[in-house]
Amino acid sequence: MVDAARSTGAANPEAGEIFQILRDGRARTKAELATLTGLARSTVSSRVDALLASGLIRPAGEAVSTGGRPPARIAFNPLAGLVLAVDLGATHATVAVADLAGHILGSRTRHQDIADGPEPVLDRALADAAAILGDLGATPERLVGVGIGVPGPVEHSTGRPTNPPIMPGWDRFDVPGYVQTTFPVPVLVDNDVNILALGEQALSWPGVDDLIFVKVSTGIGAGIISGGQLQRGAQGSAGDMGHVQVPYSHDSPRPPGDERDLEAIASGTAIAAELRAQGIDARASSDVVALVRAGNPAATAATRQAGREVGEVLATVVNMLNPSLIVIGGSIARSGEHLLAGVREVVYRRSIPLATQHLGIVQSQAGETAGVLGAAIMVTRHVLAPANVDALAARG
């Protein structure tokens, strides 16, 4: 498949709109498409032929005849191209190859330190990508786009991380430009919580249009889906709740003058520091999770209090955005119900009744594939947008 985003043609301007109908995977005849679009059958036929030539759709057998020759059906061809998806965390990297329907065809996960810097981290990810393509028997030319999630703020229009607190050496680094020296296709970069929100919605909550995904790990952030669309804000910083100052509550053990932000109080790193102050050996989020799972009472209490602090910020978010679902994920959420219980305790008490009347607060269900799936979705939405499909159909 030719990369649509590198095409500049504008013929068949409505081929892209016809293609959107077929993206659900259901096979249809040209007559059915004419009925759905209101276009003349001759117009539909020419545009379907262009889509067939591009490879984005394929013949899908024959429909039942109503007299005469049975009409041919066509359907979306998810294997017309491949997408590279990369989920970079503070201490891990997952690389996957997916088809155009978002199905993961192969993946690899490795431990890493994001503080190693952009070149070493990206080089390892690109090497894993090449290995996965080799395992699939696919050439790099089949890639149509790359999606990358990073654990820090990103200027989405340029793909450059901006003052990321846990990513030394990454500030303003040209991630798309660096990756395109290996794979010359469109490269989209976003905050990891945004792609996690997309992946969580697709895997576990496809019918939910108003969802907030909150990641509590080395850092804290939120991905906001409102009206079915991911909300990035003007510069791409929407959802950065980790840097919101936590409102003081008389229930909190913090002193009234404590002006730290949420990440400094409730992240895995912050919980570990609190436990060390109590004489307990905890250096990272993984240590906190291990202690909670082992039944350590101090770690359990600190994790539940972290949930309450997260809830203090989320209560305001709920009143402002009125989501129908809040999904809590990240490494600390995997320690059990304690973090979630703290969040629920405060959100249901402090948010207005109308906003919480049907609000669900649940633990992430998507697992480790949510990030790469979200990155793949981000890319396919771009590559398969109507304008890009129009250009591809023109070349086809």
Side-chain angles (χ1 to χ4, degrees):
M1 173 180 165
V2 181
D3 175 8
R6 286 181 286 181
S7 305
T8 58
N12 296 307
E14 294 185 30
E17 297 296 339
I18 291 176
F19 174 73
Q20 303 309 310
I21 298 173
L22 294 167
R23 282 189 67 183
D24 64 4
R26 176 185 165 190
R28 294 176 173 86
T29 65
K30 292 178 180 179
E32 288 174 320
L33 291 172
T35 300
L36 288 169
T37 61
L39 296 171
R41 290 196 183 189
S42 59
T43 302
V44 169
S45 182
S46 66
R47 290 167 183 167
V48 165
D49 289 345
L51 290 170
L52 284 166
S54 74
L56 280 173
I57 64 175
R58 57 176 175 76
E62 296 178 337
V64 176
S65 174
T66 58
R69 183 178 178 181
R73 299 188 300 174
I74 68 287
F76 174 36
N77 178 19
L79 293 176
L82 300 176
V83 170
L84 174 61
V86 182
D87 175 24
L88 299 177
T91 59
H92 81 277
T94 298
V95 180
V97 172
D99 66 18
L100 295 181
H103 299 129
I104 303 299
L105 305 177
S107 67
R108 293 189 177 193
T109 298
R110 69 163 74 221
H111 293 288
Q112 65 150 26
D113 187 349
I114 198 71
D116 287 346
E119 290 96 340
V121 169
L122 291 173
D123 285 346
R124 289 192 289 265
L126 294 173
D128 285 343
I132 296 170
L133 288 170
D135 292 342
L136 295 172
T139 63
E141 288 72 26
R142 292 195 62 200
L143 284 180
V144 299
V146 179
I148 301 175
V150 299
V154 175
E155 185 180 60
H156 185 67
S157 60
T158 65
R160 295 173 182 259
T162 304
N163 296 317
I166 64 170
M167 299 172 63
W170 288 78
D171 185 36
R172 304 303 302 171
F173 183 80
D174 184 8
V175 176
Y178 190 83
V179 172
Q180 284 170 331
T181 61
T182 301
F183 299 122
V185 294
V187 178
L188 304 182
V189 186
D190 207 340
N191 182 276
D192 63 343
V193 186
N194 284 341
I195 66 169
L196 283 167
L198 290 173
E200 185 77 35
Q201 181 195 39
L203 282 170
S204 306
W205 312 98
V208 177
D209 287 337
D210 296 278
L211 175 152
I212 296 176
F213 181 90
V214 180
K215 180 183 178 183
V216 183
S217 190
T218 305
I220 298 177
I224 302 168
I225 296 176
S226 182
Q229 299 296 317
L230 180 65
Q231 304 299 318
R232 294 187 175 92
Q235 304 300 327
S237 66
D240 191 7
M241 61 180 282
H243 293 97
V244 174
Q245 183 176 327
V246 182
Y248 172 71
S249 168
H250 63 84
D251 298 327
S252 173
R254 296 183 294 114
D258 189 341
E259 297 183 348
R260 289 178 297 166
D261 60 27
L262 181 62
E263 200 165 281
I265 294 170
S267 66
T269 305
I271 298 171
E274 171 64 25
L275 294 177
R276 286 199 305 276
Q278 299 178 41
I280 300 171
D281 185 19
R283 299 291 169 182
S285 298
S286 58
D287 299 324
V288 174
V289 173
L291 286 165
V292 173
R293 288 178 174 175
N296 183 282
T300 299
T303 300
R304 181 154 187 152
Q305 182 57 40
R308 295 188 185 102
E309 305 291 5
V310 172
E312 292 287 351
V313 174
L314 273 178
T316 301
V317 174
V318 167
N319 287 338
M320 289 287 291
L321 299 180
N322 189 203
S324 56
L325 188 70
I326 295 175
V327 181
I328 309 295
S331 58
I332 300 302
R334 292 194 288 271
S335 64
E337 284 286 318
H338 305 291
L339 182 77
L340 202 64
V343 172
R344 287 172 175 156
E345 178 184 331
V346 174
V347 169
Y348 287 132
R349 186 174 75 242
R350 295 201 182 280
S351 302
I352 62 174
L354 182 61
T356 58
Q357 184 177 7
H358 301 293
L359 174 66
I361 302 176
V362 301
Q363 190 160 353
S364 171
Q365 299 179 16
E368 295 183 355
T369 61
V372 287
L373 176 60
I377 291 171
M378 175 175 65
V379 174
T380 56
R381 286 181 178 177
H382 170 75
V383 172
L384 300 180
N388 287 335
V389 173
D390 287 340
L392 179 59
R395 294 187 63 173

